Amino acid sequence: MTHKPLSWYDDIGMFGINRPINDIPEHNIRGSCIHKTSFCDDTCYNLKLYKLYKGMKDKDVRDEKFWQSLPTTYDSYNKSLSRIVMQIQRAKKQTERARFMTRGEGIKDIQDIFRIKVICKATPNTIWWLPTRAWRNTKLKSLIEEILFPIKNLSICASIDPTTTKEEEQMLIDDKWSTMFYGDDHKTTMSDNTRQFKCPKTHKKIKGHCGDCKAGCFGQRVIDRQTHVHLSQH
């Protein structure tokens, strides 16, 4: 079976790329979620799925090997990059939006920042959604702001949770990050009292709504402003 770099997810209504969450030592694969919090480990939905679907680990191996084969500088002749472009061009389902990552962390290290830049350049008609905890690494945060913030077809959300301090929230606000919060349904505002936008997909259980939502995580690209999204608990 030919490995497809993008998988379709009915739940969010778009294609997505995945990476392994944790190490897979038997295949010499390093996990991507190195910026996770203790709250991540305690509540991660995907960790539960690994116990139900034994094939997920094998797919993780294929996904990570593919991800590492992507170029960090634009090269239209790179076979892996061409496979992403070709899959998007031939897809019968919507490709106006896609996600880094539905499982795992998109920005584990500096090389990932450049891989994402390359993919966005190669697929200018797709808005890529990037929730990330890489903001917790000072160097990566700075590079994301410098290299990825200017990209017009990239919607970046700092992933935050109840372990995020008010000082960290304020830092993200001051540095023009949009955020995506999960973990406390009673929280309604940010540290500066800005109200959080309740995600319709999670709060109203609208399956596939992320694919055409005009606010929230995509508000920064649709209406060009900083947004702070609140996801309901599972």
Side-chain angles (χ1 to χ4, degrees):
M1 181 183 297
T2 302
H3 173 261
K4 291 185 177 181
L6 302 174
S7 300
W8 176 261
Y9 295 93
D10 285 328
D11 193 43
I12 57 175
M14 68 182 73
F15 286 98
I17 297 179
N18 291 318
R19 298 182 74 182
I21 295 173
N22 295 318
D23 294 348
I24 309 175
E26 62 269 32
H27 292 282
N28 198 30
I29 296 292
R30 302 298 300 270
S32 62
C33 291
I34 64 172
H35 314 298
K36 63 186 176 181
T37 66
S38 57
F39 189 82
C40 294
D41 272 337
D42 292 339
T43 63
C44 180
Y45 182 69
N46 275 301
L47 291 179
K48 299 174 184 177
L49 295 180
Y50 280 110
K51 298 178 181 179
L52 294 175
Y53 303 103
K54 302 302 181 183
M56 282 178 61
K57 185 179 291 188
D58 291 335
K59 187 175 186 305
D60 276 353
V61 173
R62 296 192 297 272
D63 286 341
E64 185 62 15
K65 287 181 177 179
F66 175 83
W67 182 256
Q68 295 298 328
S69 71
L70 288 163
T72 54
T73 57
Y74 186 74
D75 176 8
S76 60
Y77 294 100
N78 178 273
K79 291 183 178 179
S80 296
L81 183 62
S82 297
R83 284 171 61 190
I84 291 178
V85 173
M86 190 174 298
Q87 187 177 351
I88 287 177
Q89 290 176 342
R90 295 179 176 179
K92 295 182 179 180
K93 296 180 179 179
Q94 76 89 7
T95 57
E96 293 178 358
R97 294 177 178 178
R99 175 167 167 165
F100 304 113
M101 306 284 172
T102 61
R103 179 168 74 248
E105 168 62 58
I107 302 176
K108 175 183 175 181
D109 52 35
I110 294 174
Q111 286 76 20
D112 293 333
I113 291 175
F114 292 99
R115 289 188 181 101
I116 288 169
K117 180 181 179 180
V118 166
I119 292 171
C120 289
K121 181 177 180 179
T123 56
N125 296 320
T126 298
I127 296 178
W128 290 88
W129 177 23
L130 175 62
T132 181
R133 291 189 183 271
W135 64 268
R136 301 183 71 225
N137 179 294
T138 303
K139 186 174 182 178
L140 291 179
K141 177 179 176 292
S142 178
L143 287 172
I144 291 168
E145 293 165 358
E146 176 186 349
I147 297 169
L148 297 185
F149 269 24
I151 297 176
K152 298 299 183 182
N153 62 324
L154 181 62
S155 182
I156 304 172
C157 295
S159 182
I160 61 177
D161 63 40
T163 67
T164 306
T165 66
K166 288 186 177 181
E167 291 75 18
E168 287 173 327
E169 276 193 15
Q170 192 59 50
M171 173 191 68
L172 291 168
I173 292 168
D174 293 342
D175 292 339
K176 309 304 180 185
W177 283 72
S178 289
T179 62
M180 189 171 73
F181 173 86
Y182 162 77
D184 180 359
D185 283 354
H186 298 291
K187 177 179 168 66
T188 58
T189 62
M190 296 292 288
S191 60
D192 64 350
N193 293 319
T194 301
R195 289 193 64 82
Q196 293 172 309
F197 173 79
K198 286 190 175 183
C199 164
K201 186 262 180 185
T202 60
H203 282 274
K204 297 182 179 179
K205 312 302 180 186
I206 306 176
K207 185 177 181 180
H209 187 65
C210 304
D212 56 18
C213 184
K214 297 298 188 293
C217 303
F218 290 94
Q220 58 182 297
R221 287 294 169 248
V222 176
I223 53 180
D224 194 27
R225 66 180 176 86
Q226 190 177 30
T227 58
H228 302 291
V229 180
H230 186 288
L231 309 182
S232 73
Q233 293 179 275
H234 296 302

